[in-house]
Amino acid sequence: MRSSSVQTIALSPHSETRSDAVRRISVQVTKTPDRILAVTYAIDGDLDRLRVPAVRPPRVVDKLWQHTCCEIFIARKGAAEYHEFNLAPSGEWDAYAFARYRERAPSNGTVDSLNPKIAVRATAKKLELDALIPLDRLSPLHADSALLLALAVVIEDQDGLLYYWALKHPTGKPDFHHADAFALELE
């Protein structure tokens, strides 16, 4: 799937992790002229049946993917390395660099400099999370390159069960890092 302008993309639940508490998850994504990746996640459902973390001051927190969390994986087209951003409805976030599939690259203390801007809006039936990610902070090459993106959301219900939504799921268990998950090309 290719995109160069704002586009709404529907995510689908993994076949082994379906919940009737979430009706739909969609994502809008664009690369702005000032080289920022702008992403909006919209989760429609019965939010009272989900564990949604309370809003906190923005800060880096590890392992956000173990709870309700929006994720975006960013790779330059043709490159093995990629970045993962975890964006929680609490406003907390984390970023990881990978040299190749699930092989972490040294961070060299750069995580704090990535500092995505996050805004959250919620009602009883809808949660929206906006994130602005400055691409030039990933590397100078990211700002002007064609990108491959993997879009995903982890949902935690009130019983602590996790449900996995993505633009594209590879065969087998949920794996947002898999090359097949990088299904959106952004010019």
Side-chain angles (χ1 to χ4, degrees):
M1 179 181 304
R2 288 182 150 191
S3 175
S4 60
S5 61
V6 176
Q7 181 174 341
T8 301
I9 301 157
L11 301 187
S12 59
H14 189 273
S15 61
E16 297 174 13
T17 65
R18 294 184 183 270
S19 167
D20 61 355
V22 177
R23 285 184 291 285
R24 186 171 84 103
I25 299 179
S26 60
V27 183
Q28 286 186 342
V29 61
T30 191
K31 187 170 24 170
T32 69
D34 51 345
R35 300 177 173 146
I36 292 175
L37 192 62
V39 187
T40 298
Y41 293 84
I43 301 168
D44 294 307
D46 186 356
L47 297 186
D48 291 336
R49 295 174 52 198
L50 306 178
R51 287 188 185 169
V52 178
V55 175
R56 297 182 182 99
R59 65 186 178 125
V60 176
V61 175
D62 194 24
K63 299 183 181 178
L64 292 169
W65 43 265
Q66 294 178 341
H67 305 283
T68 298
C69 175
C70 300
E71 300 190 22
I72 185 166
F73 296 76
I74 305 167
R76 287 183 301 107
K77 188 175 180 180
E81 66 272 359
Y82 61 96
H83 291 80
E84 171 186 357
F85 280 84
N86 296 165
L87 310 162
S90 63
E92 297 166 317
W93 64 278
D94 205 353
Y96 307 91
F98 293 87
R100 61 190 54 79
Y101 177 73
R102 291 193 177 271
E103 183 183 309
R104 293 276 294 269
S107 70
N108 301 324
T110 60
V111 171
D112 287 331
S113 70
L114 297 174
N115 195 19
K117 302 300 178 212
I118 300 171
V120 178
R121 296 170 302 287
T123 66
K125 300 291 181 192
K126 188 170 193 168
L127 172 76
E128 292 182 320
L129 183 145
D130 300 320
L132 300 174
I133 301 169
L135 291 169
D136 60 349
R137 292 185 188 168
L138 298 178
S139 81
L141 296 174
H142 280 80
D144 296 314
S145 295
L147 303 175
L148 293 177
L149 305 178
L151 303 168
V153 175
V154 176
I155 297 290
E156 182 180 19
D157 72 11
Q158 288 294 350
D159 296 324
L161 296 174
L162 298 178
Y163 302 90
Y164 303 95
W165 290 67
L167 175 58
K168 184 172 182 189
H169 293 281
T171 303
K173 66 179 184 170
D175 184 359
F176 302 150
H177 292 258
H178 193 280
D180 289 350
F182 288 79
L184 178 63
E185 184 176 337
L186 200 61
E187 297 295 327

